[in-house]
Amino acid sequence: MEAILQTRLGELPPGYGRLPGTGPLDMARWLMVDDAYAAQMAERERLLRDHRAEVVALEAGREAVAAEALHMVLAHLEVREEWAVEAGKVTCPDGRSVTVEEADPLGTLGRIIAEDMCLLEPRDGAQVLVGAVLCFPSRWVLAEKIGRPMLRIHAPVPGYGEALNARVERMMGALRPGVGLWRANGHFHSDPTLFYPRPEVAKKEWEAEARYFRSERQALIRMPETGATLFSIHTTVVEASALTEAQRALVDG
C-alpha cells in the first residue's frame, strides 16, 4: 500500500523533547486538516470497516463518556468552516457525508476527524483508559491498554516512571473545561504505515535515523459533564528530508 505522508511536519511545541512538555492549547486549532486528511480518512474508513475490534474499544457503562466526546467534537466542528454539521450529518473536508450515529459515538468520531480519541477517567486515584478509537497506533495495542491506569499503560516507555506519572496525574487532575493542553512527540521510522500496532512483548527499537519521521500532536481536554479527559492524537508522517533546520535541531536535541 502506498505510504500516506504529509508534505511538512508542522509546528513543534516549545517543550518538545521533554516529558510531559505541554503548553496551552489554542482551542480554535484543536482538530487538524492538512494535506493528508483525505488519504488518512480513507485509511480510517478501511480500518473501521475491516478491523473494527482492533481500533475501537469502550468499557461497559462508559457510554455517556463516549457520547460527550462526540458532542464536544461536533460543537467544535460547527464553528469550523472545513466541516458542515446539520440534520444529523457531517460533511467532511474531503466531501464525504457521514451520518452521526448516536449509538456509535466512537465509530462516528473515527469517520469525521483525523485524530484518534482516547477517553480517560479518574479511578482509585489514577487516570484510566476507558475508551478509544485508535486507528493509528504507534507500537502499541489498544486491547492491552483498555481499562489500565496511566502508569501501567506507559510501562514500556523508557523514562516514564512513578515520578513522571505523578506529575502527569496532577496535571490531568488540574485540567479545567475549556482550557486544553497540547504536546508533541516524534521518532524516526523505517516504516511509514499509520496502523502500526505492536504488543508489549515485542522488542521495540527506536531508530536514531530513518527515511521517515512520525510525530503525534496530542491534546488533553477536560469534558464538563462526565469529568473525563479527552486525549486526542493527530499523526503526521513525513519524509525525514522534509524537516526544517529548526525542526531537525529540536529532533536531534
Side-chain angles (χ1 to χ4, degrees), residues 93-116:
D94 57 356
R96 288 173 306 114
S97 178
V98 176
T99 298
V100 176
E101 300 284 355
E102 294 284 352
D104 184 20
L106 294 178
T108 300
L109 284 172
R111 298 185 62 213
I112 60 178
I113 58 176
E115 280 79 3
D116 286 320

Side-chain angles (χ1 to χ4, degrees), residues 43-64:
E43 175 66 354
R44 296 175 76 82
E45 291 274 18
R46 184 188 72 82
L47 290 165
L48 285 161
R49 182 186 67 242
D50 299 341
H51 299 273
R52 166 87 187 200
E54 297 176 70
V55 300
V56 177
L58 182 65
E59 280 194 333
R62 305 274 62 83
E63 291 81 8

Side-chain angles (χ1 to χ4, degrees), residues 169-216:
E169 293 276 3
R170 287 195 298 270
M171 177 187 70
M172 293 179 66
L175 283 171
R176 295 293 177 265
V179 181
L181 299 173
W182 81 286
R183 67 178 301 275
N185 62 20
H187 299 282
F188 288 98
H189 277 247
S190 56
D191 188 340
T193 305
L194 288 166
F195 181 62
Y196 199 78
R198 293 294 183 275
E200 289 186 358
V201 295
K203 185 176 181 181
K204 298 176 178 65
E205 296 181 351
W206 299 99
E207 298 154 294
E209 187 72 64
R211 179 179 173 182
Y212 304 100
F213 188 78
R214 176 172 177 146
S215 178
E216 295 177 345

Side-chain angles (χ1 to χ4, degrees), residues 23 33 35 57-58 61 83 85 98 120 124 130 136 199 231:
V33 179
D35 56 348
L58 182 65
W83 287 267
V85 182
V98 176
L120 298 117
D124 298 326
V130 299
F136 301 155
F231 179 64

